[in-house]
Short mmCIF file of all heavy atoms in Angstrom, two decimals:
data_model
loop_
_atom_site.label_atom_id
_atom_site.label_comp_id
_atom_site.label_asym_id
_atom_site.label_seq_id
_atom_site.Cartn_x
_atom_site.Cartn_y
_atom_site.Cartn_z
N GLU A 1372 99.13 42.42 -50.83
CA GLU A 1372 97.66 42.46 -50.75
C GLU A 1372 97.16 42.34 -49.31
O GLU A 1372 96.22 41.63 -49.01
CB GLU A 1372 97.03 41.37 -51.63
CG GLU A 1372 97.35 41.55 -53.11
CD GLU A 1372 96.66 40.51 -53.97
OE1 GLU A 1372 96.19 39.48 -53.41
OE2 GLU A 1372 96.57 40.71 -55.19
N ILE A 1373 97.85 43.03 -48.42
CA ILE A 1373 97.48 43.07 -47.00
C ILE A 1373 96.72 44.36 -46.74
O ILE A 1373 97.18 45.46 -47.12
CB ILE A 1373 98.73 42.99 -46.11
CG1 ILE A 1373 99.38 41.61 -46.23
CG2 ILE A 1373 98.38 43.29 -44.65
CD1 ILE A 1373 100.71 41.50 -45.51
N PHE A 1374 95.57 44.25 -46.09
CA PHE A 1374 94.78 45.44 -45.74
C PHE A 1374 95.46 46.16 -44.57
O PHE A 1374 95.82 45.55 -43.57
CB PHE A 1374 93.36 45.04 -45.34
CG PHE A 1374 92.59 46.16 -44.67
CD1 PHE A 1374 91.98 47.16 -45.44
CD2 PHE A 1374 92.51 46.24 -43.28
CE1 PHE A 1374 91.29 48.19 -44.83
CE2 PHE A 1374 91.81 47.27 -42.68
CZ PHE A 1374 91.20 48.24 -43.45
N VAL A 1375 95.62 47.47 -44.68
CA VAL A 1375 96.22 48.28 -43.63
C VAL A 1375 95.29 49.45 -43.35
O VAL A 1375 94.83 50.14 -44.26
CB VAL A 1375 97.61 48.82 -44.05
CG1 VAL A 1375 98.19 49.70 -42.95
CG2 VAL A 1375 98.55 47.67 -44.36
N SER A 1376 94.99 49.67 -42.08
CA SER A 1376 94.09 50.77 -41.71
C SER A 1376 94.69 52.12 -42.08
O SER A 1376 95.91 52.31 -42.04
CB SER A 1376 93.81 50.72 -40.20
OG SER A 1376 95.00 50.87 -39.47
N GLU A 1377 93.82 53.07 -42.44
CA GLU A 1377 94.29 54.38 -42.86
C GLU A 1377 94.72 55.25 -41.68
O GLU A 1377 95.57 56.12 -41.82
CB GLU A 1377 93.19 55.09 -43.66
CG GLU A 1377 92.85 54.40 -44.98
CD GLU A 1377 91.76 55.13 -45.73
OE1 GLU A 1377 91.31 56.18 -45.22
OE2 GLU A 1377 91.34 54.65 -46.79
N LYS A 1378 94.10 55.04 -40.53
CA LYS A 1378 94.38 55.89 -39.37
C LYS A 1378 95.09 55.09 -38.28
O LYS A 1378 94.45 54.37 -37.51
CB LYS A 1378 93.08 56.47 -38.82
CG LYS A 1378 92.37 57.40 -39.81
CD LYS A 1378 91.08 57.95 -39.21
CE LYS A 1378 90.38 58.87 -40.20
NZ LYS A 1378 89.11 59.40 -39.64
N PRO A 1379 96.41 55.19 -38.20
CA PRO A 1379 97.15 54.47 -37.17
C PRO A 1379 97.07 55.19 -35.83
O PRO A 1379 96.66 56.36 -35.74
CB PRO A 1379 98.58 54.49 -37.70
CG PRO A 1379 98.66 55.76 -38.49
CD PRO A 1379 97.31 55.95 -39.10
N LEU A 1380 97.46 54.47 -34.78
CA LEU A 1380 97.56 55.04 -33.44
C LEU A 1380 99.03 55.32 -33.19
O LEU A 1380 99.86 54.41 -33.21
CB LEU A 1380 97.00 54.06 -32.41
CG LEU A 1380 96.94 54.53 -30.96
CD1 LEU A 1380 96.00 55.72 -30.82
CD2 LEU A 1380 96.47 53.39 -30.06
N LYS A 1381 99.38 56.58 -32.95
CA LYS A 1381 100.79 56.97 -32.87
C LYS A 1381 101.23 57.20 -31.43
O LYS A 1381 100.56 57.91 -30.68
CB LYS A 1381 101.04 58.23 -33.70
CG LYS A 1381 100.83 58.02 -35.21
CD LYS A 1381 101.17 59.26 -36.00
CE LYS A 1381 101.01 59.00 -37.50
NZ LYS A 1381 101.36 60.19 -38.31
N PHE A 1382 102.36 56.59 -31.09
CA PHE A 1382 103.01 56.78 -29.81
C PHE A 1382 104.42 57.32 -30.08
O PHE A 1382 104.90 57.28 -31.22
CB PHE A 1382 103.08 55.46 -29.04
CG PHE A 1382 101.72 54.91 -28.68
CD1 PHE A 1382 101.10 53.95 -29.47
CD2 PHE A 1382 101.05 55.37 -27.56
CE1 PHE A 1382 99.86 53.46 -29.15
CE2 PHE A 1382 99.80 54.87 -27.23
CZ PHE A 1382 99.19 53.92 -28.01
N PRO A 1383 105.14 57.80 -29.05
CA PRO A 1383 106.46 58.40 -29.29
C PRO A 1383 107.43 57.50 -30.06
O PRO A 1383 108.17 57.98 -30.92
CB PRO A 1383 106.97 58.68 -27.86
CG PRO A 1383 105.72 58.89 -27.07
CD PRO A 1383 104.71 57.96 -27.66
N GLU A 1384 107.46 56.20 -29.77
CA GLU A 1384 108.43 55.33 -30.43
C GLU A 1384 107.79 54.23 -31.27
O GLU A 1384 108.48 53.37 -31.81
CB GLU A 1384 109.35 54.68 -29.38
CG GLU A 1384 110.18 55.71 -28.61
CD GLU A 1384 111.07 55.06 -27.58
OE1 GLU A 1384 110.97 53.83 -27.41
OE2 GLU A 1384 111.85 55.77 -26.94
N THR A 1385 106.47 54.25 -31.36
CA THR A 1385 105.77 53.18 -32.07
C THR A 1385 104.56 53.73 -32.80
O THR A 1385 103.89 54.64 -32.29
CB THR A 1385 105.29 52.09 -31.07
OG1 THR A 1385 106.38 51.71 -30.25
CG2 THR A 1385 104.74 50.88 -31.81
N THR A 1386 104.27 53.18 -33.96
CA THR A 1386 103.03 53.47 -34.68
C THR A 1386 102.27 52.16 -34.85
O THR A 1386 102.82 51.17 -35.34
CB THR A 1386 103.31 54.10 -36.05
OG1 THR A 1386 104.06 55.31 -35.86
CG2 THR A 1386 102.01 54.42 -36.77
N VAL A 1387 101.00 52.14 -34.42
CA VAL A 1387 100.21 50.91 -34.43
C VAL A 1387 99.20 50.97 -35.57
O VAL A 1387 98.40 51.90 -35.67
CB VAL A 1387 99.48 50.71 -33.08
CG1 VAL A 1387 98.67 49.41 -33.12
CG2 VAL A 1387 100.47 50.69 -31.93
N PHE A 1388 99.27 49.95 -36.46
CA PHE A 1388 98.31 49.82 -37.56
C PHE A 1388 97.42 48.60 -37.30
O PHE A 1388 97.88 47.60 -36.76
CB PHE A 1388 99.03 49.60 -38.89
CG PHE A 1388 99.70 50.82 -39.44
CD1 PHE A 1388 101.01 51.11 -39.12
CD2 PHE A 1388 99.01 51.69 -40.28
CE1 PHE A 1388 101.63 52.24 -39.64
CE2 PHE A 1388 99.63 52.81 -40.79
CZ PHE A 1388 100.94 53.09 -40.47
N LEU A 1389 96.17 48.72 -37.73
CA LEU A 1389 95.30 47.56 -37.79
C LEU A 1389 95.46 46.97 -39.18
O LEU A 1389 95.26 47.65 -40.19
CB LEU A 1389 93.84 47.96 -37.55
CG LEU A 1389 92.80 46.85 -37.74
CD1 LEU A 1389 92.98 45.76 -36.70
CD2 LEU A 1389 91.38 47.42 -37.66
N ILE A 1390 95.87 45.69 -39.24
CA ILE A 1390 96.01 45.03 -40.54
C ILE A 1390 95.16 43.77 -40.57
O ILE A 1390 94.79 43.23 -39.51
CB ILE A 1390 97.48 44.68 -40.84
CG1 ILE A 1390 97.96 43.53 -39.93
CG2 ILE A 1390 98.38 45.90 -40.69
CD1 ILE A 1390 99.29 42.94 -40.34
#
Side-chain angles (χ1 to χ4, degrees):
E1372 297 183 344
I1373 292 173
F1374 167 81
V1375 178
S1376 61
E1377 294 180 2
K1378 296 180 180 179
L1380 184 63
K1381 294 184 177 181
F1382 296 96
E1384 297 180 356
T1385 309
T1386 301
V1387 180
F1388 286 91
L1389 173 66
I1390 70 169

